[in-house]
Amino acid sequence: MMTGFRLNLSPLKEPLGFVKLVEWLTAIFAFSSCGGFTGTNVVTLFCGDGRNETLSANFHYPFRLSQEPLVPGNATLCNRSVATTHMVGDAASAAEFFVGVAVICFLHCMLALLVYLGYMHVYKDSDLGPICDFLVTAVLVFLWLVCASAWAKGLQNVKYATDTEGIGATLALCTGGNVTCAVTEFANMRTLNISVVFGFLNVFVWAGNAWFVYKETRWHSQKFVSQTGPGRQQVPAPI
């Protein structure tokens, strides 16, 4: 059996290799749009005496909001003393899980493309290659579904905690007296919304890839033979 590297680009013209290239790109977009985010919401405090004061709600990946100070140190706001106050919430587990799965899939795609383009003759020489490829792909489909759902919920929590309602519930100054709090400038969360979209897009792309990988296994070929075998009729020999 020849096991040496043989460069062959033809798998990229077939669904098996082309979809893997698409998965590589979608994984890049998924972790880059989430992992590099940083933003600031500006909170305006409308004091009862007509004065306005502002606070900055800074947040970034991995979104451990409970460690981000909304009021750093004891401060005087609207003529009232306010103790150190942090934002509420922690979406780090969901965000890090999402980015971790995306990075793993990114690395897996590069390894798979190396096998497809250089060792396809070894890949198809035995049943072990396609079966392992299918099992790994099926696991990654499940991980994408779980992490995309978890991150979608985590992003919803981040938006609430940094919005007017969440800030108002966090800052005691805003819940009583004649002080009104509102977020007047919002950070652009377009990239975070895009990351959720790419998360669920990866679910569909990897599920489609699982079908093409399954077709390379002996399970599919045996099923095909079992379905077509009984229908065959022996042609009588000519007299």
Side-chain angles (χ1 to χ4, degrees):
M1 179 178 66
M2 299 295 293
T3 59
F5 181 84
R6 302 181 195 170
L7 181 61
N8 181 12
L9 300 180
S10 59
L12 291 178
K13 302 177 183 178
E14 302 174 359
L16 185 66
F18 178 76
V19 174
K20 191 63 66 178
L21 182 61
V22 173
E23 290 171 343
W24 181 70
L25 294 173
T26 53
I28 292 176
F29 283 114
F31 70 73
S32 62
S33 57
C34 176
F37 180 85
T38 180
T40 301
N41 282 4
V42 177
V43 183
T44 301
L45 281 63
F46 301 95
C47 305
D49 56 3
R51 295 184 300 109
N52 296 338
E53 300 194 27
T54 59
L55 297 172
S56 295
N58 302 307
F59 54 101
H60 54 81
Y61 176 85
F63 308 103
R64 290 188 176 90
L65 301 180
S66 59
Q67 299 180 7
E68 300 295 334
L70 181 61
V71 181
N74 295 327
T76 301
L77 300 173
C78 296
N79 297 324
R80 294 173 60 179
S81 179
V82 181
T84 301
T85 305
H86 294 79
M87 288 186 286
V88 176
D90 189 345
S93 57
E96 290 175 339
F97 181 35
F98 180 81
V99 171
V101 170
V103 172
I104 289 174
C105 290
F106 166 76
L107 297 175
H108 170 76
C109 288
M110 290 196 297
L111 178 60
L113 286 172
L114 176 64
V115 173
Y116 292 167
L117 301 183
Y119 297 94
M120 182 58 77
H121 55 290
V122 180
Y123 177 87
K124 291 188 174 182
D125 188 66
S126 66
D127 296 328
L128 184 61
I131 289 176
C132 290
D133 193 9
F134 172 73
L135 293 177
V136 171
T137 302
V139 170
L140 292 177
V141 172
F142 175 74
L143 289 178
W144 269 120
L145 178 61
V146 174
C147 76
S149 301
W151 172 228
K153 176 59 176 176
L155 178 57
Q156 183 180 359
N157 294 338
V158 169
K159 289 181 177 179
Y160 170 79
T162 57
D163 203 352
T164 297
E165 185 177 358
I167 295 295
T170 302
L171 195 58
L173 181 66
C174 305
T175 59
N178 55 354
V179 179
T180 303
C181 303
V183 177
T184 53
E185 293 184 23
F186 290 87
N188 189 345
M189 296 190 184
R190 184 180 297 111
T191 57
L192 297 182
N193 295 330
I194 291 175
S195 69
V196 173
V197 173
F198 271 102
F200 286 105
L201 177 62
N202 272 286
V203 175
F204 292 104
V205 173
W206 282 82
N209 185 37
W211 165 248
F212 292 115
V213 176
Y214 171 73
K215 291 176 66 176
E216 299 293 328
T217 65
R218 70 169 183 266
W219 300 327
H220 179 266
S221 60
Q222 290 174 351
K223 180 180 179 181
F224 179 76
V225 171
S226 64
Q227 289 177 347
T228 58
R232 295 178 179 174
Q233 297 182 356
Q234 186 176 1
V235 180
I239 300 177

